[in-house]
Amino acid sequence: MLSPGQGKEEKQLRLHGSGETMHTVAADLYLPRQARIDGIVRENSQIKTFVLSFVDEEFNSAFRYQCGQFLMVSVPHCGEAPISFSSSPTRPGSIELSVRRAGRLTSALHEMQVGDRLGLRGPYGRPFPLAGLVGRDLLFVAGGIGLAPLRSVVNACLDAREHYGGITVLYGSRAPSDIAFAADLADWAKSPRFACRLSVDSAAPGWRGAVGPVTGLLTETGVDPEKSVALVCGPPLMIRAVLGMLSEKGLPDDRILTTMERQMKCGVGLCRHCHMEGKLVCVDGPVFSLAELKRLRPMELAG
Amino acid sequence: MHDRYLLQKDHLKSLLRKLMKEYRLVAPARNRHGDVLFVVLEDLDAAELDLAAQPQNSLKEFFFPQREALYAYEISDEGYRFRPLAPECPPTIYFGVHPCDLSAILYMDVVFSQGGRDNFYLRRRRESVLIGVNCGAPPSDKCFCNATGHGPFLDFGADLMLTDLGGRFFVEADRAQGQALVRSWRQFFEAAGEEDRNARYQSFLEARGSFQRQVHVEQAIRQLADGAVAEEVWAALSLRCHDCGGCAYLCPTCTCFTITDQQTSAQGGVRLRSWDACTFAGFTRMAGGHNPVAQRTGALRQRFLHKLRDDVARYGRPGCVGCGRCVGSCFGGADIVRFVEKAYEGGC
Ligand SMILES: Cc1cc2nc3c(=O)[nH]c(=O)nc-3n(C[C@H](O)[C@H](O)[C@H](O)COP(=O)(O)OP(=O)(O)OC[C@H]3O[C@@H](n4cnc5c(N)ncnc54)[C@H](O)[C@@H]3O)c2cc1C
Ligand code: SF4
Ligand code: FES
């Protein structure tokens, strides 16, 4: 017999993402767990990173997730929104979510303070296939908030640096004052075999980096099609342009990875808000390879 | 082939009366306006049971209510807590369920237990006993369960399955729960003989032969799988769609939902789950207004693709059970039969 919310059954909650598809078998499918905001980092005027831990300490220390997965985040009276992990699973004990102020829930979240409580459920979704990155050169291409899920991967790779070849991050922002994750970018710059290049849509006095869309940086970046894997995350138009360019550079479609965004209500494959050409992004994604996307032909790639 | 019985029609109400002592009874009854609806029957003597007509509602709302509170939440010194609200689910007998509506329940069983198990649904389902009745003739000229493979007779899924043989019902008890029911109320059931089996088969043949319309569902499924449905078909149907959601509301297999918070005080509220429809513009719209579904041409596309392509790919059967409820109730005439016909004709 299953009865919602009873401690015994919650113990059955599967904490570890396992392999390709992740399903939660929690007794109570949609029940959020209480989490506390332990820290807030203002990344730019629109993005804040929230450092969180589950109030239940035992649960918190046992909680695991994988890069590319997401949580359903509850904010009082605002419902839920899907937010990717921006922290690395190699550093358990706390969770980081980087959130762009986009509407009702995310704005309310931006008003919250250290010590305030959120509800979290997950982890959900098919992660980035990290095992497939081992031994490869990694090319990360991100725009705006798109760096959040990729930050998780970059930091996971840096925590096992010897497993990977060269790492390149290309990051596009609107303006120099909009560049988020500055602390990470500074850290990464100190890592061996690591190249980080920034571009802004409109420069400001003193800006010495590139100007223009992130595709400009990509044009100038050499990619070894034999050795590389690309991970791309950002607004739909950017994704489309970048995927096209990577293909042209000879990178095989199954080594070009990206994430798809859809409205999500349940996160577990039932409500169907996240439908995408026969797939459900919350369980079949959000990570997809270009090879998969070419078969599916979602709107982001059409036209 | 065992556990075959007869139930004299004269005995039906006495049996139901006994069952009502232990179970809540939901059955199709004709109300004073002449409409047949599945309702909770309180007074069997006052009720006019109608096992032949198509009830206007399906059983969906009994297992998956149009709106239900999943959790109560509270913000206090203790923090931000969610308390699960147990679904109301008295043990219930659903009586007089046609093959289409039974199939729809079997479909929902799969949907709500794949991957994530939805206990709000599953608990109600666990407390249910299904007593079906085969259709001796299609209840309406809109029925096309023969074309989707869900009727007019169904050989599995119900706890007890009845077939009307005139003065008596032929009763099949293939599931443990149904067999237990017969054992408990053995005095109402007689053993069925060869003749009764033959009569049932005869009734099946007649039922199968009495569908007036030919709906080319299989053909449409093949076309969708091959991506061979013309863009104009989608566009023309979508233009007729008024975005009212009526089809999803009536459909026994439309189970898309949304989850929202309703604040009830400064310190708390409830988290609700309610029916939603994939045809609604807001279903896929995201923050900032970006919508991955082109509403003008694609509104209805998802509805038909889901039922006739994606469900076939995932479960091996279409999600449409051919009940015909959406047929003729759509303002714009953009129902699933219209789609199948348009796809079949290859034009608009
Ligand atoms: C898998 C996934 C991971 C995500 N990761 C992040 C992240 O790491 N950081 C971040 O800032 N944003 C992320 N997003 C986007 C984020 O979920 C939306 O910005 C957020 O839902 C907007 O909610 P709102 O109430 O602030 O906006 P509103 O426009 O007020 O939202 C209205 C409703 O629409 C729905 N909705 C709106 N936009 C989206 C959307 N883009 N995706 C899903 N549902 C939406 C929500 O359910 C919400 O209830 C992610 C989205 C997905 C699908
Ligand atoms: S799509 Fe129409 S005919 Fe098919 S099951 Fe739903 S309501 Fe019945
Ligand atoms: S979010 Fe509900 S099915 Fe994907």
Side-chain angles (χ1 to χ4, degrees), chain B residues 54 104 142 144 148 247 250-254 303-304 307 319-327 335-337:
Chain B
Q54 161 100 283
K142 307 197 169 64
F144 61 104
T148 64
C247 52
L250 287 169
C251 178
T253 62
C254 270
R303 176 173 170 76
F304 302 137
K307 291 194 189 304
C320 168
V321 295
C323 73
R325 284 190 178 89
C326 62
V327 183
D335 57 73
I336 199 160
V337 167

Side-chain angles (χ1 to χ4, degrees), chain B residues 234-285:
Chain B
W234 300 121
L237 285 172
S238 288
L239 282 176
R240 289 160 162 266
C241 175
H242 296 254
D243 204 10
C244 75
C247 52
Y249 183 97
L250 287 169
C251 178
T253 62
C254 270
T255 50
C256 292
F257 59 81
T258 187
I259 301 178
T260 48
D261 281 0
Q262 186 178 47
Q263 186 171 355
T264 52
S265 73
Q267 302 310 322
V270 282
R271 179 154 292 174
L272 300 168
R273 182 244 294 272
S274 11
W275 294 355
D276 207 341
C278 63
T279 50
F280 289 156
F283 193 77
T284 44
R285 195 192 298 126

Side-chain angles (χ1 to χ4, degrees), chain A residues 70 78 80-85 98-107 145 148-149 260-265 281 286, chain B residues 285-288:
Chain A
F70 64 94
C78 294
E80 297 181 290
I83 302 290
S84 308
F85 292 95
S98 303
V99 181
R100 189 176 67 93
R101 187 197 293 267
R104 200 166 104 86
L105 182 144
T106 48
S107 299
I145 186 67
M260 289 284 114
E261 199 169 316
R262 286 291 180 276
Q263 192 187 123
M264 291 186 178
K265 291 297 176 188
V281 174
Chain B
R285 195 192 298 126
M286 294 190 286

Side-chain angles (χ1 to χ4, degrees), chain A residues 45-59:
Chain A
S45 63
Q46 299 301 314
I47 302 174
K48 283 182 178 175
T49 294
F50 297 85
V51 184
L52 308 168
S53 57
F54 289 100
V55 170
D56 179 341
E57 283 175 20
E58 196 186 332
F59 184 87

